[in-house]
Amino acid sequence: MPQTARESYLAAKEVKCRKQLEKGGSGGGKLNGPLARGAEKNLFISFLNYLRKSQNLPVVLFTLSRKRCDQNAGNLLSMDFSTATEKSKIHRFFQDSIRNLQNEDDRALPQVKRLEQLLKNGIGVHHSGILPILKEIVEMLFQKGSKFFDLLVDPPGYYGLNFQPDGRTLRDLDKELTVETTSMTLTSVPNTGDLDDSKDLSGDEEETGEKNDGIINLIQLGGENASKFEQGLWESHEVISGDAKEEQEKATVFPSNEEENNVIPQEVDIPILKISNTLPKHVTQTEWAEMLDVSKPVLDFDAKVPIMAHTWPFELDVFQKQAIIKLEEHNHVFVTAHTSAGKTVIAEYAIALSQNHKTRTIYTSPIKALSNQKYRDFRETFQDVGLVTGDFQINTTASCLVMTTEILRSMLYRGSDVLRDLEYVIFDEVHYINDSERGHVWEEVLILLPKEVCIVMLSATVPNTLEFADWVGNTKKTKVYVVSTLKRPVPLKHFLYVGPVLEKNQLFLIREAEGEFLTRGYLAAKEVKCRKQLEKGGSGGGKLNGPFTRGAEKNLFISFLNYLRKSQNLPVVLFTLSRKRCDQNAANLLSMDFSTATEKSKIHRFFQDSIRNLQNEDDRALPQVKRLEQLLKNGIGVHHSGILPILKEIVEMLFQKGLVKVSLI
């Protein structure tokens, strides 16, 4: 039998050549290359039949796309890997599991029916497009064994796993590391049906007297070139333990400072943003950033900006005037202010300047919903506005383009023509740069932007504005001007709702806009809660938090919304931390109606006009579409990542029109 990987490859190639010659081919014997769809299907099926005959099931097959994964499953509809007993077990387990899908329409989804048939045949599919409950069913059935195999997308990390020669059993490295010297090795996974474990794959057992047990020596595989690596990449490593290890550590000689400096320079000019550290409060200027004083009025604003590129029907605040002056001078600007403080004014002025200069502005936001909203807002002010997201592409040649930051990064990578006349880039919610998962996108874009592009950054108040601006300025080698204000035009107050009680007031203020906690409000809320519990025969402990039963939680939720409606505090946005909880809250409100007859008519017309964009009639009849239409007619909107993009936009627009009174997000 072949003794090295090269000989194994040559043996496989020889078999391939013979096969091609028998079919009248050239006998080139290539072991890779494109295959016709039919040939690929036949090869796939023959491979699985071989595994079944050689008793090598179950097996996990990895693919690199969901589409290819589903195609492979479709190719196997005619194959059956389960016995009658196994089919019965799979059927019972599947039916017991999908009872957790409370909605009957969900249990009748095509994906559920298709996967049930595949599972009965011993075939599982597992990727990000599969419902979570179905993925869990596949995982649990796979763990139960039987002649079952799984089609997976994106293989999980397997690094660090070492197997026995049978390719299945994990090696016990602690027992195997008793020898003092080993070579860097590669685990071999031979055919257990043909392999004699007493034979050495390297072919040198008789000469060295050592037994490798299914291990291939990489130095031997290197052939004539192995000598080049013996003292380098593939050199031997000693496994030292006990006293010898302690002696070696004591004998270790560390390089001196002078020797280190020869290798690593003492000063490396690499700008690194340490976002967790802040400068002393009295520091208002660094080499690449300067904080402007917004405590004093701008008396010379009219002289510095005699002709405004855009005007508003209200007097601008000091921080807005400071930022506009710097935009007129074509400087980088970083504006930090609370929500609703007027940061959008600076963005609008940059857009107006670029349109006067016949150039282009790109406005970026971290989420699609915000991009959609800003597109609609800017379109009312500036006619030439476009939108580019993963869901929509509208007027992509406009002088002002609204997009997500990821789209802009992609354009920079590709060198898109859109960037040719670019003058301003506006980063809304730029504090997302501190996000552990997506922050690198903002860093990449800021680094890749051409030097001549003026950067406008908008953010909520953060503690280290000057440090961040200094990093951006150092990166672009241009000073960044920081305009920061702590003024909050819309006061932010915290209230505590205690549930339906006889008292007229059910909301208690516990935190003022200035941030001071009001103990008096908390104690008043607790007293009301105690009385309520005593009236019901409780202990009167008066806890304001704790677990609720599902029915009690539903009643509290409904009573809270009724209180807001009576006190004329609608519309309201209710945030939840999961899609499932969001949908549950929506289901709890099916009996509630917040819309008048006139509003219902407007919502109906708007919804029907909007879903005409769904060209497929089946899409317009989806359960999600029908369910959301009914909720919207009652003035209730649902908005999360599981909602179709067109439906999310409908919810956003109806909320802006004031027709959606309760928005669940």
Side-chain angles (χ1 to χ4, degrees):
M1 63 174 289
Q3 294 180 333
T4 66
R6 178 175 176 79
E7 291 176 3
S8 298
Y9 174 80
L10 293 174
K13 188 173 182 180
E14 182 181 351
V15 172
K16 187 74 174 178
C17 288
R18 282 204 303 271
K19 182 178 178 181
Q20 290 182 344
L21 287 170
E22 289 171 0
K23 291 183 176 181
S26 62
K30 285 187 177 181
L31 294 180
N32 58 0
L35 296 173
R37 182 169 295 180
E40 184 179 3
K41 176 182 177 180
N42 293 335
L43 182 64
F44 188 53
I45 292 175
S46 67
F47 171 62
L48 293 175
N49 280 325
Y50 173 79
L51 293 178
R52 174 162 53 180
K53 290 178 182 177
S54 59
Q55 297 182 348
N56 278 311
L57 295 179
V59 65
V60 179
L61 302 174
F62 297 102
T63 55
L64 298 179
S65 73
R66 286 165 46 179
K67 181 179 179 181
R68 184 71 173 272
C69 193
D70 292 333
Q71 286 176 348
N72 289 341
N75 292 337
L76 300 179
L77 288 173
S78 59
M79 299 192 72
D80 194 344
F81 298 88
S82 301
T83 63
T85 305
E86 290 172 335
K87 288 182 185 294
S88 176
K89 291 180 180 179
I90 291 170
H91 175 72
R92 288 200 303 273
F93 182 84
F94 189 88
Q95 292 300 322
D96 290 342
S97 300
I98 66 170
R99 287 195 184 99
N100 294 320
L101 295 172
Q102 299 177 359
N103 193 325
E104 190 173 349
D105 293 335
D106 292 340
R107 293 196 292 272
L109 286 170
Q111 183 183 101
V112 177
K113 297 297 184 183
R114 188 162 54 242
L115 187 60
E116 181 181 13
Q117 183 56 47
L118 285 168
L119 289 172
K120 287 181 181 178
N121 293 346
I123 302 166
V125 182
H126 189 292
H127 57 63
S128 59
I130 303 295
L131 289 171
I133 190 173
L134 298 183
K135 288 196 285 187
E136 189 174 5
I137 291 172
V138 171
E139 294 163 9
M140 296 180 72
L141 287 175
F142 186 80
Q143 284 182 325
K144 291 176 183 293
S146 78
K147 302 182 185 66
F148 187 87
F149 73 90
D150 214 356
L151 297 167
L152 290 178
V153 178
D154 296 336
Y158 56 88
Y159 304 102
L161 297 181
N162 293 274
F163 294 89
Q164 298 284 4
D166 62 359
R168 299 179 183 179
T169 310
L170 281 172
R171 293 167 57 192
D172 189 346
L173 297 180
D174 293 333
K175 293 181 180 179
E176 294 181 11
L177 289 177
T178 56
V179 294
E180 291 186 357
T181 305
T182 61
S183 295
M184 183 176 285
T185 56
L186 174 68
T187 303
S188 171
V189 187
N191 187 333
T192 56
D194 300 328
L195 177 64
D196 183 357
D197 290 341
S198 64
K199 295 181 182 180
D200 176 24
L201 291 178
S202 67
D204 294 334
E205 181 183 349
E206 296 178 0
E207 298 179 10
T208 63
E210 296 177 356
K211 186 175 179 180
N212 289 338
D213 287 335
I215 296 218
I216 297 175
N217 193 314
L218 293 181
I219 298 178
Q220 292 169 358
L221 286 179
E224 298 177 356
N225 295 324
S227 59
K228 300 178 182 178
F229 301 94
E230 288 179 359
Q231 301 301 323
L233 180 62
W234 292 350
E235 65 181 348
S236 297
H237 300 277
E238 292 184 355
V239 180
I240 303 172
S241 59
D243 297 336
K245 184 175 181 180
E246 293 181 5
E247 292 177 5
Q248 186 188 42
E249 289 176 351
K250 292 178 182 178
T252 303
V253 179
F254 293 95
S256 64
N257 291 337
E258 185 177 351
E259 290 172 333
E260 280 188 346
N261 293 338
N262 292 333
V263 180
I264 304 175
Q266 289 183 334
E267 294 183 4
V268 182
D269 187 18
I270 300 175
I272 298 175
L273 174 62
K274 295 182 179 178
I275 202 162
S276 59
N277 299 331
T278 58
L279 293 170
K281 291 184 178 180
H282 65 273
V283 177
T284 59
Q285 185 171 351
T286 64
E287 181 181 1
W288 298 105
E290 180 181 343
M291 183 170 289
L292 302 179
D293 186 5
V294 297
S295 62
K296 300 176 182 178
V298 185
L299 301 177
D300 57 348
F301 179 75
D302 293 334
K304 290 184 176 180
V305 189
I307 302 176
M308 295 274 287
H310 186 72
T311 57
W312 293 266
F314 52 84
E315 178 67 21
L316 296 179
D317 287 336
V318 173
F319 83 94
Q320 294 169 334
K321 292 180 178 179
Q322 294 273 28
I324 286 174
I325 291 172
K326 293 304 175 185
L327 287 179
E328 287 279 359
E329 297 171 357
H330 203 267
N331 288 313
H332 299 324
V333 177
F334 181 25
V335 181
T336 65
H338 286 294
T339 303
S340 301
K343 297 188 294 292
T344 306
V345 167
I346 290 91
E348 290 176 344
Y349 198 82
I351 296 170
L353 278 175
S354 72
Q355 291 191 345
N356 287 351
H357 301 161
K358 306 300 180 184
T359 56
R360 174 170 285 145
T361 299
I362 289 180
Y363 177 98
T364 72
S365 72
I367 53 178
K368 295 177 184 176
L370 183 57
S371 295
N372 296 338
Q373 177 190 338
K374 289 301 180 182
Y375 165 71
R376 292 189 292 268
D377 293 344
F378 291 154
R379 193 176 55 179
E380 293 179 1
T381 307
F382 311 98
Q383 284 70 38
D384 194 19
V385 180
L387 175 67
V388 183
T389 66
D391 300 327
F392 305 103
Q393 291 191 11
I394 304 171
N395 194 15
T396 56
T397 60
S399 61
C400 175
L401 289 177
V402 181
M403 62 184 68
T404 56
T405 315
E406 283 80 2
I407 296 292
L408 177 55
R409 179 183 63 169
S410 177
M411 289 181 173
L412 288 167
Y413 282 163
R414 294 185 285 107
S416 173
D417 290 340
V418 173
L419 308 174
R420 186 176 300 169
D421 300 323
L422 185 61
E423 184 179 8
Y424 292 96
V425 172
I426 303 165
F427 293 94
D428 200 358
E429 311 294 347
V430 75
H431 53 267
Y432 265 77
I433 197 171
N434 204 29
D435 184 80
S436 59
E437 295 182 359
R438 298 177 60 199
H440 64 93
V441 178
W442 277 258
E443 291 183 14
E444 292 175 38
V445 172
L446 286 167
I447 293 170
L448 293 173
L449 280 174
K451 290 184 178 180
E452 61 272 11
V453 174
C454 186
I455 298 172
V456 181
M457 297 172 287
L458 311 177
S459 173
T461 53
V462 290
N464 49 354
T465 53
L466 197 62
E467 294 88 334
F468 175 63
D470 184 73
W471 175 78
V472 175
N474 194 1
T475 302
K476 310 308 294 184
K477 302 303 177 187
T478 306
K479 179 165 282 193
V480 176
Y481 291 90
V482 180
V483 184
S484 181
T485 177
L486 297 177
K487 181 181 177 182
R488 186 187 287 275
V490 181
L492 181 62
K493 298 181 180 181
H494 293 228
F495 290 85
L496 192 61
Y497 178 70
V498 296
V501 290
L502 296 177
E503 285 82 355
K504 182 178 180 181
N505 185 23
Q506 300 173 17
L507 276 181
F508 295 87
L509 180 65
I510 60 172
R511 188 175 180 181
E512 284 283 5
E514 294 78 14
E516 180 185 355
F517 183 78
L518 301 179
T519 307
R520 182 178 67 256
Y522 175 80
L523 293 176
K526 190 173 181 179
E527 182 182 353
V528 172
K529 189 74 173 176
C530 288
R531 277 204 306 272
K532 181 180 177 182
Q533 290 181 345
L534 288 171
E535 290 170 1
K536 291 184 176 181
S539 62
K543 285 188 177 181
L544 294 179
N545 57 359
F548 290 94
T549 62
R550 183 170 294 182
E553 186 176 4
K554 176 182 177 180
N555 293 335
L556 182 65
F557 188 53
I558 292 175
S559 68
F560 173 61
L561 291 176
N562 279 325
Y563 176 81
L564 292 179
R565 175 164 51 182
K566 290 178 182 177
S567 58
Q568 297 182 349
N569 278 313
L570 296 180
V572 64
V573 179
L574 301 174
F575 295 97
T576 54
L577 299 179
S578 73
R579 286 165 46 178
K580 181 180 179 181
R581 185 70 174 272
C582 195
D583 292 332
Q584 286 177 349
N585 289 341
N588 291 337
L589 300 179
L590 286 173
S591 60
M592 299 193 72
D593 194 345
F594 298 90
S595 301
T596 63
T598 304
E599 289 173 333
K600 287 181 187 294
S601 176
K602 291 179 180 179
I603 292 170
H604 176 73
R605 287 199 304 272
F606 183 84
F607 189 88
Q608 292 301 321
D609 291 341
S610 300
I611 65 169
R612 287 196 183 98
N613 295 320
L614 295 172
Q615 299 177 359
N616 192 329
E617 190 172 347
D618 293 335
D619 292 341
R620 294 196 291 272
L622 285 171
Q624 183 183 99
V625 177
K626 297 296 184 182
R627 191 160 51 241
L628 187 60
E629 182 181 13
Q630 182 56 46
L631 285 168
L632 287 173
K633 286 181 180 178
N634 293 345
I636 303 165
V638 182
H639 190 293
H640 57 63
S641 58
I643 303 293
L644 289 171
I646 189 172
L647 297 182
K648 287 194 288 187
E649 189 175 10
I650 290 172
V651 172
E652 294 163 13
M653 297 179 74
L654 288 175
F655 186 81
Q656 283 186 317
K657 293 175 181 290
L659 297 175
V660 169
K661 304 299 194 308
V662 178
S663 184
L664 303 170
I665 296 179

